[in-house]
Amino acid sequence: MSPPTIAQRRATFRALHQTGCFVLPNPWDLGSARALEAMGFKALATSSAGHAWSRARADGQLARDDALAHLREMVQATSLPINADFESGFGDTLEELASSVGMAVDTGVAGLSIEDSTGNPEAPLRAMDEAAERMRVARAAIDAAGGDTLLVGRAENFFVGVPDLRDAIARLQAYAAAGADCLYAPGIRTREQIAAVVAALAPKPVNVLVGWASELGVADLAELGVRRISVGGALARAAWGGFLQAARIIAEQGRFDAFAGTPTGTELNGLFK
């Protein structure tokens, strides 16, 4: 059986957002993407943080060309739809943003998220009108390329130290009006916050991030009306946590206890065979 085409993956991805709730895990390289596909997940999302750490860089420090090359690799690595963590769009001007979004669509991604953060700790969020205009430009760039890539609008309030739920909701509503297909406020955690965002954006689908030990499971989030759940850099952090713990025990204690319970080479070879 031939693998699904890019158009088929994009159609599948859009359909996932129509009803129910699905988990969209975030691999950081080809191996983690293949492993997640083998576990039966229906779609995957990139992690800018996970990818940056794999390149010995901090999140947000990779250039556009690095991000685009990573997206192409991830699209080619599996037969699943891929949602791109495209940070703030890799464009200071609207023209640069439109060009970058067009390049991202050309990689074959099924979805693409745009953040409203600035990277400036003194003014961490773009003005709402400016951020909404950037969302309109991203929407137009996607439409010019065929219009079948899902656009995700992100309000970064809770990630950049401005935990104002009312402002985050107003931003998401503005992004929805500007053409975003799915809305996302990473960092909201409580039932009340999540329910408020879902209600304010209905009938648009909402993504919720769970990158920590949470009392809310998939069934709980589905009951709240969440359409999709992502984990951001949490899987990459879990992998790094295991690696760092094992290496520190060797370095500091001269012991190899942390290797207990790890998969064997035979198991991993079988997974990637």
Side-chain angles (χ1 to χ4, degrees):
M1 182 180 297
S2 59
T5 65
I6 296 300
Q8 289 170 332
R9 294 189 217 181
R10 288 172 173 167
T12 296
F13 196 53
R14 279 191 172 273
L16 286 171
H17 292 75
Q18 299 307 307
T19 60
C21 179
F22 70 101
V23 178
L24 184 72
N26 302 72
W28 62 94
D29 62 8
L30 278 63
S32 56
R34 293 269 181 88
L36 291 169
E37 181 178 26
M39 292 178 191
F41 289 102
K42 297 177 181 179
L44 306 174
T46 64
S47 163
S48 64
H51 176 223
W53 299 331
S54 74
R55 302 291 298 276
R57 303 293 293 273
D59 189 17
Q61 290 189 346
L62 293 179
R64 181 181 68 182
D65 286 350
D66 293 314
L68 292 170
H70 179 58
L71 294 181
R72 282 191 291 270
E73 282 189 336
M74 297 297 273
V75 169
Q76 294 167 9
T78 85
S79 62
L80 298 179
I82 298 290
N83 190 94
D85 176 352
F86 207 52
E87 303 186 42
S88 60
F90 295 95
D92 292 330
T93 69
L94 297 179
E95 292 76 13
E96 291 171 345
L97 173 65
S99 177
S100 294
V101 169
M103 292 178 188
V105 171
D106 285 344
T107 67
V109 293
L112 184 148
S113 64
I114 299 291
E115 304 170 5
D116 58 6
S117 57
T118 65
N120 177 4
E122 296 182 0
L125 291 171
R126 296 182 187 274
M128 194 183 306
D129 289 347
E130 177 192 2
E133 179 61 21
R134 289 173 64 84
M135 202 63 60
R136 278 189 285 272
V137 167
R139 173 81 270 160
I142 290 173
D143 291 345
D148 55 351
T149 299
L150 193 111
L151 177 61
V152 183
R154 291 179 48 149
E156 299 294 294
N157 298 65
F158 287 77
F159 258 19
V160 299
V162 189
D164 184 333
L165 183 63
R166 183 174 298 180
D167 182 69
I169 288 174
R171 286 172 174 274
L172 294 178
Q173 289 172 328
Y175 305 158
D181 301 296
C182 178
L183 291 310
Y184 183 14
I188 59 173
R189 297 192 180 208
T190 69
R191 291 177 183 270
E192 293 75 18
Q193 290 171 335
I194 294 166
V197 170
V198 169
L201 275 301
K204 294 269 189 174
V206 168
N207 183 101
V208 166
L209 172 72
V210 183
W212 44 82
S214 174
E215 65 174 10
L216 300 177
V218 173
D220 300 304
L221 293 168
E223 186 176 353
L224 289 170
V226 174
R227 281 279 179 264
R228 74 181 208 186
I229 305 162
S230 57
V231 300
L235 285 173
R237 288 191 286 108
W240 276 105
F243 167 82
L244 292 172
Q245 179 187 33
R248 283 173 180 150
I249 289 174
I250 296 170
E252 297 171 4
Q253 303 177 28
R255 300 181 62 84
F256 305 93
D257 303 11
F259 293 156
T262 60
T264 65
T266 300
E267 289 174 308
L268 293 175
N269 287 336
L271 176 63
F272 299 120
K273 192 172 182 180

